[in-house]
Amino acid sequence: MQVQSLYRSFQRYRTLTTDVISSLPIVILMPHSACNCRCVMCDIWKDNQNLRQLTEEDVRELLVTLKKFGTRQVVMSGGEALLNPKFFKLCEILHNQNIKISVLSTGLALKKNAEQILRWVDDVIVSLDGNEDIHDRIRNIPQAYQKLKEGVQVIKAIEPQFKITGRSVIHKLNFRQWPSIIDAAMEIGLDQISFLPADVSSHAFNREILWSESRQHEILLDEADLPELNLAVENVIRNYHRELESHFIAESPEKLRKIYTYYAAFYRHNPFPYKKCNAPWVSTVIEADGTVRPCFFHAPIGNIKQHSLEEILNSEESIRFRKQLNIDTDSTCKTCVCYLNLRPGANI
């Protein structure tokens, strides 16, 4: 076991130093392109009529590369991954290769899939926007909060130790109700809640055309809101110190304050928060139509319907992209809201 661990660490270190992928600890799959919510900060649902989804054959063909590169975790993202009618078959294929499976979900379909989730999935991350009223308004789905709550509680009733965490995007429509998000996470029975600012400036989340300035400002805080946001952050840090100390709130106070500095950067009050990210070297994103990206936010580098994942990741173009990518200066990376930094020896 120790020899295997050392070998994995070496291969990860080798990837980081040569820019040639020889280890791929994490893969993000989007099994289904459609979503069962209509969130105000996301455009994925606007393309629901053009359904695309990964098949069993797609995942089986990926196994060659995943085995070779020692993939340890697959994150099922979307759209809503659980909408794929073969979703749990895809999980079974991966599970049989001792690959950990995490699911990002709106939570609407947890209840009816509870037993299958417990059988084939290792953990679930749900989206949470506020208390019942706020959550339903942002999701644009009646009873979205109640369905999420029921799904979590059904799973927890069967297996209390099964890990279900929450992820919340803080933006113009909910930052004033930040405490209600934390309270709702506890009421629902989540194990943890994490926070990040809203992405308004990239092509991610099905934005073929970048949002106009007016569309951005439906989600982006106004400059006049910044003092109130700063106060909201400090109130959370002061009033939820126990939840911070116990890591029920995933971020440290320092990271929570970066949500303020992120929004303040849009108005040139400060630089965008510094981030240390190696996502294109330790992970990849495969969309429902087979498109492969280095991460959620950078441009496509190939498609698994045309070439193997190994060929795509280690093509001359992909290697050149990684060699030339400077996280500190790249315009996409500087404004990124979510990042991954996995050390070679990380236990995953």
Side-chain angles (χ1 to χ4, degrees):
M1 186 65 70
Q2 186 177 5
V3 172
Q4 289 180 345
S5 178
L6 288 172
Y7 177 75
R8 283 197 300 269
S9 298
F10 170 74
Q11 292 294 77
R12 294 177 191 178
Y13 177 77
R14 183 181 175 192
T15 297
L16 293 172
T17 54
T18 65
D19 301 299
V20 177
I21 299 294
S22 53
S23 174
L24 191 68
I26 301 171
V27 171
I28 298 97
L29 297 184
M30 298 182 178
H32 198 274
S33 65
C35 190
N36 51 10
C37 281
R38 301 165 62 87
C39 300
V40 296
M41 62 282 190
C42 175
D43 287 345
I44 290 174
W45 58 271
K46 294 181 179 180
D47 197 37
N48 278 2
Q49 69 276 13
N50 297 316
L51 177 61
R52 299 169 299 281
Q53 54 190 3
L54 296 177
T55 66
E56 292 178 52
E57 182 181 1
D58 291 330
V59 174
R60 290 188 193 281
E61 290 182 356
L62 284 174
L63 287 182
V64 176
T65 301
L66 303 193
K67 286 181 181 179
K68 181 173 181 178
F69 290 156
T71 299
R72 308 280 288 173
Q73 180 180 15
V74 166
V75 178
M76 299 291 202
S77 184
E80 173 55 62
L82 291 169
L83 292 178
N84 187 314
K86 297 288 187 179
F87 176 75
F88 292 107
K89 186 62 181 177
L90 306 185
C91 291
E92 181 182 356
I93 294 168
L94 296 166
H95 188 272
N96 289 340
Q97 301 300 319
N98 295 317
I99 294 173
K100 179 183 177 183
I101 300 166
S102 299
V103 176
L104 303 180
S105 176
T106 64
L108 301 187
L110 293 184
K111 183 177 179 180
K112 82 172 182 180
N113 292 295
E115 291 186 3
Q116 290 279 68
I117 288 170
L118 288 169
R119 181 176 182 184
W120 299 115
V121 173
D122 292 277
D123 68 280
V124 172
I125 304 163
V126 296
S127 300
L128 180 64
D129 299 304
N131 60 22
E132 185 167 4
D133 178 59
I134 297 165
H135 184 82
D136 289 359
R137 279 194 282 122
I138 289 174
R139 296 271 133 186
N140 275 319
I141 295 291
Q143 297 186 316
Y145 181 89
Q146 189 60 33
K147 291 176 182 177
L148 166 60
K149 180 179 177 180
E150 288 176 1
V152 171
Q153 293 181 347
V154 165
I155 290 174
K156 287 289 191 178
I158 301 171
E159 179 47 74
Q161 299 306 312
F162 185 83
K163 188 176 182 181
I164 308 178
T165 59
R167 182 173 295 173
S168 185
V169 178
I170 297 296
H171 50 73
K172 186 175 187 175
L173 303 180
N174 68 357
F175 82 93
R176 292 181 177 88
Q177 290 79 32
W178 200 330
S180 76
I181 304 174
I182 302 169
D183 295 342
M186 291 188 281
E187 177 195 9
I188 288 171
L190 300 182
D191 295 298
Q192 190 178 57
I193 183 73
S194 66
F195 299 98
L196 71 162
D199 169 59
V200 299
S201 59
S202 81
H203 282 285
F205 310 108
N206 198 43
R207 298 173 193 149
E208 291 187 9
I209 300 174
L210 290 177
W211 278 359
S212 66
E213 186 173 346
S214 61
R215 177 68 176 98
Q216 288 184 20
H217 278 276
E218 293 176 19
I219 302 301
L220 179 66
L221 276 75
D222 296 330
E223 188 171 13
D225 293 331
L226 291 176
E228 195 173 353
L229 172 63
N230 190 43
L231 182 61
V233 172
E234 295 306 321
N235 283 341
V236 167
I237 293 171
R238 182 178 65 254
N239 296 331
Y240 290 92
H241 59 92
R242 290 178 182 170
E243 287 75 16
L244 285 160
E245 289 173 1
S246 68
H247 301 291
F248 179 78
I249 297 175
E251 288 75 24
S252 64
E254 178 188 6
K255 287 187 177 180
L256 290 180
R257 290 185 175 109
K258 286 184 178 181
I259 295 178
Y260 166 80
T261 56
Y262 177 84
Y263 283 116
F266 277 96
Y267 301 101
R268 297 184 171 87
H269 288 230
N270 48 252
F272 281 96
Y274 171 75
K275 58 185 68 70
K276 192 173 183 181
C277 178
N278 58 15
W281 289 266
V282 301
S283 67
T284 194
V285 174
I286 303 171
E287 298 180 350
D289 64 353
T291 296
V292 179
R293 294 178 184 268
C295 71
F296 281 108
F297 303 97
H298 279 287
I301 55 175
N303 192 296
I304 60 170
K305 308 286 187 181
Q306 300 165 357
H307 301 282
S308 74
L309 181 59
E310 180 180 5
E311 291 172 331
I312 294 167
L313 293 176
N314 283 331
S315 68
E316 291 183 9
E317 177 188 1
S318 297
I319 294 171
R320 184 166 57 250
F321 166 80
R322 289 189 290 272
K323 284 186 180 296
Q324 295 176 352
L325 181 61
N326 186 326
I327 302 296
D328 296 336
T329 59
D330 181 84
S331 59
T332 297
C333 294
K334 283 174 66 176
T335 59
C336 182
V337 299
C338 123
Y339 55 94
L340 171 67
N341 186 48
L342 191 67
R343 295 175 289 102
N347 185 23
I348 180 175

